[in-house]
PDB file of all heavy atoms in Angstrom:
ATOM      1  N   VAL H 385      -2.739  65.611 -35.879  1.00  0.00           N
ATOM      2  CA  VAL H 385      -2.945  66.382 -34.671  1.00  0.00           C
ATOM      3  C   VAL H 385      -3.028  67.854 -35.024  1.00  0.00           C
ATOM      4  O   VAL H 385      -2.163  68.397 -35.694  1.00  0.00           O
ATOM      5  CB  VAL H 385      -1.808  66.131 -33.678  1.00  0.00           C
ATOM      6  CG1 VAL H 385      -1.981  66.984 -32.450  1.00  0.00           C
ATOM      7  CG2 VAL H 385      -1.775  64.664 -33.329  1.00  0.00           C
ATOM      8  N   ALA H 386      -4.061  68.504 -34.576  1.00  0.00           N
ATOM      9  CA  ALA H 386      -4.266  69.913 -34.887  1.00  0.00           C
ATOM     10  C   ALA H 386      -3.613  70.784 -33.851  1.00  0.00           C
ATOM     11  O   ALA H 386      -3.604  70.502 -32.678  1.00  0.00           O
ATOM     12  CB  ALA H 386      -5.768  70.206 -34.956  1.00  0.00           C
ATOM     13  N   PHE H 705       2.837  73.435 -14.769  1.00  0.00           N
ATOM     14  CA  PHE H 705       2.565  73.959 -16.106  1.00  0.00           C
ATOM     15  C   PHE H 705       1.304  74.818 -16.141  1.00  0.00           C
ATOM     16  O   PHE H 705       0.756  75.051 -17.212  1.00  0.00           O
ATOM     17  CB  PHE H 705       2.444  72.809 -17.099  1.00  0.00           C
ATOM     18  CG  PHE H 705       3.745  72.148 -17.420  1.00  0.00           C
ATOM     19  CD1 PHE H 705       4.160  71.039 -16.702  1.00  0.00           C
ATOM     20  CD2 PHE H 705       4.578  72.652 -18.401  1.00  0.00           C
ATOM     21  CE1 PHE H 705       5.369  70.427 -16.991  1.00  0.00           C
ATOM     22  CE2 PHE H 705       5.782  72.047 -18.694  1.00  0.00           C
ATOM     23  CZ  PHE H 705       6.194  70.932 -17.980  1.00  0.00           C
ATOM     24  N   THR H 784       3.544  60.454 -20.161  1.00  0.00           N
ATOM     25  CA  THR H 784       3.553  61.905 -19.947  1.00  0.00           C
ATOM     26  C   THR H 784       2.180  62.500 -20.234  1.00  0.00           C
ATOM     27  O   THR H 784       1.761  63.458 -19.581  1.00  0.00           O
ATOM     28  CB  THR H 784       4.616  62.581 -20.828  1.00  0.00           C
ATOM     29  OG1 THR H 784       4.315  62.357 -22.208  1.00  0.00           O
ATOM     30  CG2 THR H 784       6.008  62.041 -20.511  1.00  0.00           C
ATOM     31  N   GLU H 785       1.472  61.937 -21.208  1.00  0.00           N
ATOM     32  CA  GLU H 785       0.120  62.433 -21.469  1.00  0.00           C
ATOM     33  C   GLU H 785      -0.818  62.070 -20.328  1.00  0.00           C
ATOM     34  O   GLU H 785      -1.668  62.873 -19.922  1.00  0.00           O
ATOM     35  CB  GLU H 785      -0.404  61.840 -22.781  1.00  0.00           C
ATOM     36  CG  GLU H 785      -1.815  62.303 -23.124  1.00  0.00           C
ATOM     37  CD  GLU H 785      -2.341  61.700 -24.403  1.00  0.00           C
ATOM     38  OE1 GLU H 785      -1.680  60.778 -24.936  1.00  0.00           O
ATOM     39  OE2 GLU H 785      -3.414  62.125 -24.864  1.00  0.00           O
ATOM     40  N   GLY H 788      -0.493  64.517 -17.574  1.00  0.00           N
ATOM     41  CA  GLY H 788      -0.875  65.899 -17.807  1.00  0.00           C
ATOM     42  C   GLY H 788      -0.109  66.679 -18.839  1.00  0.00           C
ATOM     43  O   GLY H 788      -0.414  67.851 -19.067  1.00  0.00           O
ATOM     44  N   LEU H 789       0.856  66.069 -19.541  1.00  0.00           N
ATOM     45  CA  LEU H 789       1.640  66.812 -20.531  1.00  0.00           C
ATOM     46  C   LEU H 789       1.579  66.059 -21.851  1.00  0.00           C
ATOM     47  O   LEU H 789       2.193  64.998 -22.008  1.00  0.00           O
ATOM     48  CB  LEU H 789       3.092  66.976 -20.062  1.00  0.00           C
ATOM     49  CG  LEU H 789       3.956  67.970 -20.854  1.00  0.00           C
ATOM     50  CD1 LEU H 789       3.357  69.374 -20.803  1.00  0.00           C
ATOM     51  CD2 LEU H 789       5.385  67.982 -20.318  1.00  0.00           C
ATOM     52  N   ARG H 790       0.826  66.603 -22.810  1.00  0.00           N
ATOM     53  CA  ARG H 790       0.562  65.904 -24.070  1.00  0.00           C
ATOM     54  C   ARG H 790       1.494  66.393 -25.167  1.00  0.00           C
ATOM     55  O   ARG H 790       1.754  67.592 -25.309  1.00  0.00           O
ATOM     56  CB  ARG H 790      -0.883  66.133 -24.497  1.00  0.00           C
ATOM     57  CG  ARG H 790      -1.225  65.517 -25.858  1.00  0.00           C
ATOM     58  CD  ARG H 790      -2.626  65.847 -26.287  1.00  0.00           C
ATOM     59  NE  ARG H 790      -3.608  65.238 -25.415  1.00  0.00           N
ATOM     60  CZ  ARG H 790      -4.590  65.906 -24.828  1.00  0.00           C
ATOM     61  NH1 ARG H 790      -4.717  67.217 -25.010  1.00  0.00           N
ATOM     62  NH2 ARG H 790      -5.454  65.280 -24.054  1.00  0.00           N
ATOM     63  N   LEU H 791       1.993  65.423 -25.959  1.00  0.00           N
ATOM     64  CA  LEU H 791       2.746  65.749 -27.165  1.00  0.00           C
ATOM     65  C   LEU H 791       1.744  66.092 -28.253  1.00  0.00           C
ATOM     66  O   LEU H 791       1.032  65.226 -28.764  1.00  0.00           O
ATOM     67  CB  LEU H 791       3.624  64.562 -27.587  1.00  0.00           C
ATOM     68  CG  LEU H 791       4.370  64.706 -28.910  1.00  0.00           C
ATOM     69  CD1 LEU H 791       5.394  65.830 -28.836  1.00  0.00           C
ATOM     70  CD2 LEU H 791       5.050  63.393 -29.289  1.00  0.00           C
ATOM     71  N   LEU H 792       1.686  67.364 -28.618  1.00  0.00           N
ATOM     72  CA  LEU H 792       0.681  67.824 -29.580  1.00  0.00           C
ATOM     73  C   LEU H 792       1.178  67.749 -31.011  1.00  0.00           C
ATOM     74  O   LEU H 792       0.428  67.398 -31.924  1.00  0.00           O
ATOM     75  CB  LEU H 792       0.278  69.270 -29.252  1.00  0.00           C
ATOM     76  CG  LEU H 792      -0.823  69.875 -30.115  1.00  0.00           C
ATOM     77  CD1 LEU H 792      -2.128  69.116 -29.921  1.00  0.00           C
ATOM     78  CD2 LEU H 792      -1.010  71.345 -29.784  1.00  0.00           C
ATOM     79  N   HIS H 793       2.449  68.069 -31.198  1.00  0.00           N
ATOM     80  CA  HIS H 793       2.982  68.132 -32.557  1.00  0.00           C
ATOM     81  C   HIS H 793       4.487  67.877 -32.527  1.00  0.00           C
ATOM     82  O   HIS H 793       5.180  68.299 -31.599  1.00  0.00           O
ATOM     83  CB  HIS H 793       2.707  69.508 -33.166  1.00  0.00           C
ATOM     84  CG  HIS H 793       3.542  69.794 -34.390  1.00  0.00           C
ATOM     85  ND1 HIS H 793       3.259  69.244 -35.612  1.00  0.00           N
ATOM     86  CD2 HIS H 793       4.649  70.555 -34.559  1.00  0.00           C
ATOM     87  CE1 HIS H 793       4.159  69.662 -36.486  1.00  0.00           C
ATOM     88  NE2 HIS H 793       5.010  70.449 -35.877  1.00  0.00           N
ATOM     89  N   THR H 800       5.850  70.581 -29.983  1.00  0.00           N
ATOM     90  CA  THR H 800       4.889  71.380 -29.251  1.00  0.00           C
ATOM     91  C   THR H 800       4.228  70.503 -28.198  1.00  0.00           C
ATOM     92  O   THR H 800       3.745  69.410 -28.518  1.00  0.00           O
ATOM     93  CB  THR H 800       3.810  71.954 -30.189  1.00  0.00           C
ATOM     94  OG1 THR H 800       4.447  72.729 -31.205  1.00  0.00           O
ATOM     95  CG2 THR H 800       2.826  72.830 -29.428  1.00  0.00           C
ATOM     96  N   LEU H 801       4.176  71.006 -26.958  1.00  0.00           N
ATOM     97  CA  LEU H 801       3.551  70.293 -25.848  1.00  0.00           C
ATOM     98  C   LEU H 801       2.346  71.072 -25.364  1.00  0.00           C
ATOM     99  O   LEU H 801       2.333  72.304 -25.367  1.00  0.00           O
ATOM    100  CB  LEU H 801       4.540  70.090 -24.700  1.00  0.00           C
ATOM    101  CG  LEU H 801       5.844  69.355 -25.019  1.00  0.00           C
ATOM    102  CD1 LEU H 801       6.693  69.217 -23.763  1.00  0.00           C
ATOM    103  CD2 LEU H 801       5.569  67.985 -25.628  1.00  0.00           C
ATOM    104  N   GLN H 802       1.361  70.333 -24.911  1.00  0.00           N
ATOM    105  CA  GLN H 802       0.111  70.924 -24.466  1.00  0.00           C
ATOM    106  C   GLN H 802      -0.244  70.403 -23.090  1.00  0.00           C
ATOM    107  O   GLN H 802      -0.037  69.226 -22.780  1.00  0.00           O
ATOM    108  CB  GLN H 802      -1.011  70.570 -25.454  1.00  0.00           C
ATOM    109  CG  GLN H 802      -2.366  71.152 -25.110  1.00  0.00           C
ATOM    110  CD  GLN H 802      -3.450  70.586 -26.018  1.00  0.00           C
ATOM    111  OE1 GLN H 802      -3.566  69.374 -26.153  1.00  0.00           O
ATOM    112  NE2 GLN H 802      -4.233  71.459 -26.635  1.00  0.00           N
ATOM    113  N   SER H 803      -0.794  71.280 -22.265  1.00  0.00           N
ATOM    114  CA  SER H 803      -1.282  70.863 -20.954  1.00  0.00           C
ATOM    115  C   SER H 803      -2.618  70.165 -21.127  1.00  0.00           C
ATOM    116  O   SER H 803      -3.525  70.688 -21.787  1.00  0.00           O
ATOM    117  CB  SER H 803      -1.431  72.067 -20.028  1.00  0.00           C
ATOM    118  OG  SER H 803      -2.064  71.696 -18.828  1.00  0.00           O
ATOM    119  N   VAL H 804      -2.742  68.982 -20.560  1.00  0.00           N
ATOM    120  CA  VAL H 804      -3.980  68.217 -20.703  1.00  0.00           C
ATOM    121  C   VAL H 804      -5.118  68.894 -19.945  1.00  0.00           C
ATOM    122  O   VAL H 804      -6.263  68.935 -20.420  1.00  0.00           O
ATOM    123  CB  VAL H 804      -3.770  66.778 -20.199  1.00  0.00           C
ATOM    124  CG1 VAL H 804      -5.084  66.004 -20.212  1.00  0.00           C
ATOM    125  CG2 VAL H 804      -2.734  66.071 -21.044  1.00  0.00           C
ATOM    126  N   ASP H 805      -4.807  69.468 -18.787  1.00  0.00           N
ATOM    127  CA  ASP H 805      -5.854  70.068 -17.959  1.00  0.00           C
ATOM    128  C   ASP H 805      -6.413  71.344 -18.566  1.00  0.00           C
ATOM    129  O   ASP H 805      -7.633  71.545 -18.612  1.00  0.00           O
ATOM    130  CB  ASP H 805      -5.313  70.350 -16.556  1.00  0.00           C
ATOM    131  CG  ASP H 805      -4.933  69.078 -15.834  1.00  0.00           C
ATOM    132  OD1 ASP H 805      -5.678  68.092 -15.968  1.00  0.00           O
ATOM    133  OD2 ASP H 805      -3.892  69.049 -15.160  1.00  0.00           O
ATOM    134  N   SER H 806      -5.531  72.223 -19.041  1.00  0.00           N
ATOM    135  CA  SER H 806      -5.984  73.519 -19.548  1.00  0.00           C
ATOM    136  C   SER H 806      -6.092  73.569 -21.062  1.00  0.00           C
ATOM    137  O   SER H 806      -6.581  74.560 -21.605  1.00  0.00           O
ATOM    138  CB  SER H 806      -5.026  74.617 -19.078  1.00  0.00           C
ATOM    139  OG  SER H 806      -3.724  74.410 -19.613  1.00  0.00           O
ATOM    140  N   SER H 807      -5.613  72.527 -21.747  1.00  0.00           N
ATOM    141  CA  SER H 807      -5.591  72.494 -23.223  1.00  0.00           C
ATOM    142  C   SER H 807      -4.810  73.673 -23.786  1.00  0.00           C
ATOM    143  O   SER H 807      -5.059  74.135 -24.907  1.00  0.00           O
ATOM    144  CB  SER H 807      -7.018  72.493 -23.796  1.00  0.00           C
ATOM    145  OG  SER H 807      -7.714  71.346 -23.372  1.00  0.00           O
ATOM    146  N   ARG H 808      -3.880  74.197 -23.023  1.00  0.00           N
ATOM    147  CA  ARG H 808      -3.062  75.331 -23.448  1.00  0.00           C
ATOM    148  C   ARG H 808      -1.684  74.837 -23.859  1.00  0.00           C
ATOM    149  O   ARG H 808      -1.113  73.946 -23.235  1.00  0.00           O
ATOM    150  CB  ARG H 808      -2.922  76.324 -22.284  1.00  0.00           C
ATOM    151  CG  ARG H 808      -2.217  77.627 -22.633  1.00  0.00           C
ATOM    152  CD  ARG H 808      -2.179  78.545 -21.411  1.00  0.00           C
ATOM    153  NE  ARG H 808      -1.327  78.004 -20.372  1.00  0.00           N
ATOM    154  CZ  ARG H 808      -0.009  78.283 -20.276  1.00  0.00           C
ATOM    155  NH1 ARG H 808       0.559  79.082 -21.160  1.00  0.00           N
ATOM    156  NH2 ARG H 808       0.706  77.773 -19.297  1.00  0.00           N
ATOM    157  N   ILE H 809      -1.165  75.404 -24.963  1.00  0.00           N
ATOM    158  CA  ILE H 809       0.199  75.073 -25.381  1.00  0.00           C
ATOM    159  C   ILE H 809       1.165  75.684 -24.376  1.00  0.00           C
ATOM    160  O   ILE H 809       1.148  76.895 -24.138  1.00  0.00           O
ATOM    161  CB  ILE H 809       0.467  75.591 -26.801  1.00  0.00           C
ATOM    162  CG1 ILE H 809      -0.409  74.845 -27.809  1.00  0.00           C
ATOM    163  CG2 ILE H 809       1.942  75.442 -27.147  1.00  0.00           C
ATOM    164  CD1 ILE H 809      -0.253  75.314 -29.221  1.00  0.00           C
ATOM    165  N   VAL H 810       1.984  74.839 -23.780  1.00  0.00           N
ATOM    166  CA  VAL H 810       2.857  75.287 -22.692  1.00  0.00           C
ATOM    167  C   VAL H 810       4.327  75.248 -23.062  1.00  0.00           C
ATOM    168  O   VAL H 810       5.147  75.918 -22.423  1.00  0.00           O
ATOM    169  CB  VAL H 810       2.617  74.437 -21.426  1.00  0.00           C
ATOM    170  CG1 VAL H 810       1.230  74.694 -20.861  1.00  0.00           C
ATOM    171  CG2 VAL H 810       2.811  72.954 -21.713  1.00  0.00           C
ATOM    172  N   VAL H 811       4.702  74.456 -24.068  1.00  0.00           N
ATOM    173  CA  VAL H 811       6.118  74.347 -24.443  1.00  0.00           C
ATOM    174  C   VAL H 811       6.222  74.306 -25.958  1.00  0.00           C
ATOM    175  O   VAL H 811       5.479  73.570 -26.625  1.00  0.00           O
ATOM    176  CB  VAL H 811       6.784  73.088 -23.846  1.00  0.00           C
ATOM    177  CG1 VAL H 811       8.228  72.970 -24.327  1.00  0.00           C
ATOM    178  CG2 VAL H 811       6.733  73.116 -22.329  1.00  0.00           C
TER     179      VAL H 811
END
Side-chain angles (χ1 to χ4, degrees):
V385 177
F705 288 93
T784 62
E785 180 181 9
L789 192 60
R790 176 184 294 128
L791 174 65
L792 183 64
H793 164 77
T800 302
L801 303 181
Q802 181 188 52
S803 172
V804 174
D805 296 320
S806 63
S807 298
R808 186 178 67 90
I809 294 178
V810 293
V811 177

